Amino acid sequence: DAEITQSPRHKITETGRQVTLACHQTWNHNNMFWYRQDLGHGLRLIHYSYGVHDTNKGEVSDGYSVSRSNTEDLPLTLESAASSQTSVYFCASSESLGTGLYGYTFGSGTRLTVV
Amino acid sequence: KNQVEQSPQSLIILEGKNCTLQCNYTVSPFSNLRWYKQDTGRGPVSLTIMTFSENTKSNGRYTATLDADTKQSSLHITASQLSDSASYICVVTDYNNDMRFGAGTRLTVKP
């Protein structure tokens, strides 16, 4: 069965370190997204990609980067981790550009703690 | 100010009871509204989607309503089960495919 997987599930890192969160999907979806989820806030878009070599900034992109070298993977990198980036991170993918109608398939999340 | 507001923030009900969750939005121009269920430690999963012309849509014990004039939606859960314990997230999409997420309602169903 097709799936979207995130790794690791939990990560603790120190302030200032570079961290990469992995996202891998086997749906063959062109569109992939990274969100962060914090208590009291809705999911907020960090970066997204509509295809290989395409990347775009979301509303909370500062301090994060992504790259898309193939259809299956969209790794999220925190260049220099800060305590404000402690959060739960969700990766998602969707079938078409009309993401609203077709919806997203979400991964199970990565809980990142920056100490 | 968030363009999608959900209420209540949290809710506790007894198993077998019904409940209604609310979503008010200011997103414009409106394209569609989706309700997601998010179990603890998991990603959100879509329950229903409603477009401008739809007033009511059901998915088993879940019934969503939409009033596009007042920009309000509700999710009604009938005969609740322990497995309904989760967060329920309202997501509104505009014509530019920008999605706005509500902060969610945390539902706890107790035996």
Side-chain angles (χ1 to χ4, degrees):
Chain A
D1 288 345
E3 58 182 1
I4 180 167
T5 55
Q6 294 183 233
S7 61
R9 288 300 308 273
H10 303 273
K11 174 78 175 177
I12 301 174
T13 191
E14 295 178 342
T15 302
R17 290 200 179 262
Q18 183 180 79
V19 178
T20 296
L21 310 183
C23 175
H24 179 81
Q25 53 100 0
T26 57
W27 291 95
N28 200 32
H29 286 164
N30 285 324
N31 309 309
M32 296 184 72
F33 310 82
W34 274 104
Y35 285 88
R36 61 178 288 174
Q37 187 176 40
D38 303 291
L39 199 62
H41 290 88
L43 285 154
R44 291 182 289 175
L45 184 62
I46 304 172
H47 281 285
Y48 59 102
S49 168
Y50 288 152
V52 177
H53 302 310
D54 176 75
T55 60
N56 306 280
K57 294 181 178 180
E59 63 178 302
V60 291
S61 61
D62 287 348
Y64 304 93
S65 64
V66 294
S67 62
R68 187 89 180 270
S69 59
N70 58 52
T71 300
E72 295 79 18
D73 299 289
L74 187 70
L76 177 71
T77 297
L78 286 68
E79 305 293 345
S80 177
S83 58
S84 61
Q85 295 176 308
T86 293
S87 185
V88 180
Y89 291 86
F90 286 98
C91 179
S93 69
S94 71
E95 180 178 347
S96 75
L97 201 57
T99 53
L101 277 178
Y102 290 95
Y104 286 178
T105 301
F106 282 89
S108 295
T110 294
R111 182 175 294 277
L112 177 69
T113 303
V114 182
V115 299
Chain B
K1 188 180 188 313
N2 195 1
Q3 296 182 55
V4 179
E5 298 286 347
Q6 292 187 241
S7 62
Q9 282 188 320
S10 62
L11 182 63
I12 302 174
I13 62 173
L14 292 175
E15 187 178 14
K17 298 296 186 182
N18 304 334
C19 68
T20 300
L21 314 179
Q22 300 289 344
C23 174
N24 297 337
Y25 62 91
T26 59
V27 175
S28 181
F30 174 87
S31 175
N32 61 76
L33 183 148
R34 189 183 293 271
W35 284 93
Y36 281 88
K37 179 186 180 187
Q38 184 177 18
D39 292 315
T40 301
R42 310 290 296 178
V45 175
S46 179
L47 290 174
T48 66
I49 180 173
M50 303 186 74
T51 56
F52 186 87
S53 59
E54 295 174 302
N55 299 120
T56 304
K57 184 169 283 189
S58 293
N59 178 3
R61 295 180 296 101
Y62 301 100
T63 300
T65 65
L66 174 66
D67 185 333
D69 291 331
T70 61
K71 298 186 177 181
Q72 295 179 325
S73 176
S74 66
L75 180 69
H76 186 74
I77 303 174
T78 304
S80 60
Q81 300 176 359
L82 298 179
S83 60
D84 292 330
S85 294
S87 289
Y88 292 84
I89 301 172
C90 175
V91 184
V92 182
T93 302
D94 66 18
Y95 277 178
N96 296 317
N97 289 321
D98 288 332
M99 298 170 68
R100 295 298 178 186
F101 290 77
T105 292
R106 177 68 201 175
L107 174 66
T108 302
V109 180
K110 293 195 168 184

